[in-house]
Amino acid sequence: AIAHEIRNPLASMSGSLELLDHPESTTTDQRDKLRRIVSREVSQLNRLLENFLIYARPAPPRRFEVDVGVLVREVAEAVNQAAEYKEHDLVVQTIEELPALIDPEQIRQLLWNLLKNAFEASPTNDEVELKAGFETPDSKWIVLEVADRGPGIDPTIRKTMFDPFQTTKASGTGLGLSIVHRIVESHGGRIDVSSSEYGGALFRVILPSQPH
């Protein structure tokens, strides 16, 4: 799967660079487009290798006292600025003062991966929901929920959806959910998957506010 994902951008880059070697056969606009293709594919390769390294050599959590509600709103603000997600509204619900001893960068990665999947699964202009709170009012467990309005999770893949390289997408290696699962495990939490009230997927991440 990794080899396949590396070959695709390399082929695109190779073809573009070959054309750029013959400027007399291309216009200025065409050359600009070819340079953008090369830049895009380099970024794609970089993301692929970063994800593979995160999965292959996961770092232990570097825990800090964090207000998870603030972190969730920061991620939501960043997502709302991403051009590829402009066709969807992200609805955020979080309580005030949601302290937890977690690795903020790993939880940001977890949220980005779940939100990316939710946006890609949802029809254009449909909402995606992101919620954060305690499992119960007197609980020491933090709950993060991402719900979409897509087709939901095929029952035949539920048992393998967190395995590496398992994906139903035309592109991608299926490392996103594997990384999410590793982050949850490293924090001593769990992740549940069910149908959202809209018929799509609901990912529910439960994390201890303090390490065991």
Side-chain angles (χ1 to χ4, degrees):
I2 288 289
H4 175 73
E5 288 304 312
I6 289 176
R7 286 193 186 106
N8 285 341
L10 284 178
S12 179
M13 291 164 62
S14 177
S16 298
L17 290 170
E18 187 175 340
L19 289 172
L20 285 170
D21 280 341
H22 301 281
E24 71 281 354
S25 62
T26 57
T27 66
T28 300
D29 287 345
Q30 288 173 330
R31 289 192 293 275
D32 288 343
K33 182 179 180 180
L34 292 169
R35 292 188 185 97
R36 288 195 296 271
I37 289 172
V38 172
S39 178
R40 181 192 67 207
E41 298 304 328
V42 167
S43 297
Q44 172 64 16
L45 281 172
N46 189 50
R47 283 193 298 271
L48 172 65
L49 292 174
E50 284 180 352
N51 284 336
F52 182 71
L53 288 173
I54 290 169
Y55 175 77
R57 294 188 303 179
R62 298 179 65 243
R63 296 178 185 269
F64 298 92
E65 188 73 32
V66 174
D67 187 327
V68 178
V70 172
L71 184 148
V72 164
R73 287 189 288 271
E74 289 174 352
V75 171
E77 184 176 348
V79 169
N80 284 329
Q81 299 303 315
E84 62 265 41
Y85 304 138
K86 290 292 186 183
E87 296 178 336
H88 302 278
D89 288 328
L90 179 59
V91 179
V92 180
Q93 296 180 36
T94 180
I95 66 172
E96 299 295 328
E97 297 186 11
L98 198 56
L101 198 62
I102 59 171
D103 185 321
E105 293 309 311
Q106 288 190 4
I107 299 305
R108 282 192 179 92
Q109 169 108 47
L110 176 151
L111 290 171
W112 267 99
N113 287 5
L114 290 179
L115 288 170
K116 179 177 183 293
N117 282 355
F119 284 123
E120 291 176 353
S122 296
T124 301
N125 298 322
D126 274 2
E127 294 178 346
V128 168
E129 291 186 354
L130 172 59
K131 298 180 181 180
F134 287 111
E135 190 173 27
T136 62
D138 59 348
S139 175
K140 296 186 181 296
W141 294 82
I142 302 291
V143 177
L144 303 170
E145 293 185 354
V146 175
D148 64 55
R149 300 177 185 240
I153 304 296
D154 187 334
T156 62
I157 67 168
R158 288 205 178 208
K159 290 184 179 180
T160 60
M161 62 189 300
F162 294 110
D163 292 347
F165 312 123
Q166 301 297 313
T167 180
T168 58
K169 299 176 184 177
S171 62
T173 59
L175 286 171
L177 286 180
S178 300
I179 290 170
V180 166
H181 193 259
R182 287 217 167 182
I183 291 172
V184 172
E185 281 191 329
S186 70
H187 278 76
R190 69 182 192 273
I191 182 167
D192 298 329
V193 184
S194 60
S195 295
S196 72
E197 61 182 293
Y198 315 108
L202 170 63
F203 285 82
R204 196 166 188 260
V205 174
I206 302 98
L207 302 172
S209 58
Q210 300 291 325
H212 298 311

